[in-house]
Amino acid sequence: MQENNIKEIIFLVEEDDEGGYIAQAINQSIFTQADTLPELRELIKDAVHCHYPNVQNRPQLIRLHIVRDEIIAS
């Protein structure tokens, strides 16, 4: 089995059009969604643990890149 050298995993977090938040890992097939940011953080940790069941191969740092659209009148 090949050993994973990933030290950090980055998630792109966006507000969902229907409310809440969606998160997608960059360069990994990990997705999740939640109603609040605190709930999303927990679900992301759970998803990473499921995707990397072996603690030795699991990324030690999870970074969230939160993107929000705002309209500013000129």
Side-chain angles (χ1 to χ4, degrees):
M1 179 190 282
Q2 186 177 7
E3 200 169 311
N4 179 18
N5 291 327
I6 296 176
K7 303 288 184 214
E8 172 182 69
I9 189 165
I10 301 170
F11 280 82
L12 177 64
V13 177
E14 297 178 294
E15 293 177 332
D16 192 350
D17 291 339
E18 298 176 7
Y21 299 89
I22 55 173
Q24 176 179 352
I26 297 174
N27 296 328
Q28 299 291 325
S29 296
I30 307 174
F31 305 88
T32 192
Q33 63 186 56
D35 292 329
T36 66
L37 283 175
E39 180 185 12
L40 185 68
R41 287 183 184 100
E42 290 302 314
L43 291 174
I44 288 172
K45 286 191 330 189
D46 185 53
V48 169
H49 286 205
C50 289
H51 194 78
Y52 295 98
N54 185 338
V55 176
Q56 295 173 334
N57 293 337
R58 189 177 300 149
Q60 296 302 305
L61 181 63
I62 300 171
R63 186 181 305 270
L64 305 183
H65 180 74
I66 301 173
V67 178
R68 290 191 174 120
D69 289 332
E70 291 188 22
I71 298 172
I72 300 172
S74 58

